[in-house]
């Protein structure tokens, strides 16, 4: 005695369930599902959400550099090229420290907070991402993504919406339910 649901799958009728002595198993569900476990739907953040969050982060970093670094070098008349100057080096340090510290301690930067995004480790069980994962993602992975630029575009193409630095560090960016 079985019935069919809306999508024409075969389901057990309530009368049949009462007469069975063992647990009912379905082809689409695991044999034993813990009742106390919560299942959450994860929505990965795509390219455009991450892009706007990154632009917001660049505004924050630019503001920090204008407040902290540029006043130090305002009266410096050096002939150094911008990429190899002390000012360029310090602004790069601010850039990487911002991403490393915010991702490590809050799992999100200010731009990600504005757009409701959060960085999660796909393999780690803890809620806090390890230092190794954060440093690898933000220093090595982000450098490679910045140099190749295609690394950021992968966030729109891969199933878990991972950029190249996320693939290397085995992380992803998800939408946070508010």
């Amino acid at each position: 005695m079985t019935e069919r649901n809306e999508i024409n799958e075969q389901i057990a009728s309530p009368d049949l369930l009462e007469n069975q002595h063992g647990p009912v198993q379905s082809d689409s569900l695991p044999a034993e599902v813990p009742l106390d476990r919560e299942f959450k739907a994860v929505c990965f953040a795509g390219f455009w959400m991450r892009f706007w969050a990154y632009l917001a982060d660049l505004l924050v970093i630019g503001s920090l550099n204008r407040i902290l670094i540029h006043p130090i070098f305002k009266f410096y008349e050096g002939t150094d090229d911008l990429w190899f100057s002390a000012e360029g080096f310090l602004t790069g340090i601010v850039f990487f420290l911002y991403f490393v510290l915010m991702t490590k301690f809050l799992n999100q930067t200010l731009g990600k907070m504005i757009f409701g995004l959060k960085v999660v480790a796909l393999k780690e069980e803890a809620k806090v991402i390890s230092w190794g994962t954060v440093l690898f993602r933000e220093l090595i992975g982000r450098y490679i993504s910045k140099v190749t630029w295609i690394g950021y575009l992968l966030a729109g193409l891969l199933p878990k919406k991972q950029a190249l630095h996320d693939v290397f560090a085995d992380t992803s960016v998800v939408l946070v339910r508010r």
Side-chain angles (χ1 to χ4, degrees):
M1 298 276 175
T2 59
E3 297 175 1
R4 301 225 174 238
N5 65 5
E6 291 103 26
I7 56 174
N8 208 19
E9 291 178 333
Q10 194 172 7
I11 58 174
S13 69
D15 298 330
L16 184 61
L17 291 176
E18 290 176 14
N19 295 335
Q20 286 188 350
H21 298 288
V24 176
Q25 292 186 3
S26 171
D27 294 336
S28 62
L29 293 176
E32 294 180 23
V33 178
L35 298 174
D36 58 346
R37 187 174 174 186
E38 256 185 59
F39 292 101
K40 295 181 182 177
V42 175
C43 296
F44 295 103
F47 172 78
W48 289 109
M49 290 290 288
R50 294 174 65 154
F51 174 76
W52 295 117
Y54 184 67
L55 285 182
D57 287 330
L58 289 181
L59 285 173
V60 171
I61 293 168
S63 299
L64 286 173
N65 284 331
R66 291 284 177 195
I67 293 170
L68 300 174
I69 305 300
H70 292 302
I72 297 171
F73 296 97
K74 181 173 177 134
F75 300 108
Y76 176 69
E77 297 284 334
T79 59
D80 295 344
D81 186 21
L82 181 62
W83 291 101
F84 298 107
S85 67
E87 183 178 10
F89 178 75
L90 289 176
T91 56
I93 294 293
V94 169
F95 178 86
F96 284 113
L97 278 178
Y98 171 81
F99 281 105
V100 167
L101 296 176
M102 293 290 288
T103 303
K104 172 59 182 158
F105 293 114
L106 301 173
N107 288 8
Q108 54 191 170
T109 59
L110 290 175
K112 287 181 180 72
M113 287 179 198
I114 292 168
F115 289 95
L117 307 176
K118 191 172 192 176
V119 178
V120 294
L122 297 176
K123 299 274 181 179
E124 295 177 15
E125 296 296 325
K127 289 189 177 205
V128 178
I129 301 174
S130 69
W131 275 107
T133 301
V134 169
L135 290 174
F136 190 77
R137 179 185 192 271
E138 299 299 338
L139 297 177
I140 297 167
R142 191 172 293 273
Y143 176 76
I144 292 170
S145 288
K146 273 185 93 72
V147 169
T148 62
W149 287 99
I150 190 78
Y152 288 116
L153 296 176
L154 287 177
L157 303 173
L158 295 177
K160 292 182 184 173
K161 307 296 184 194
Q162 294 172 295
L164 192 59
H165 57 276
D166 289 317
V167 172
F168 289 154
D170 204 22
T171 59
S172 189
V173 178
V174 297
L175 294 170
V176 178
R177 301 285 182 218
R178 296 181 193 194

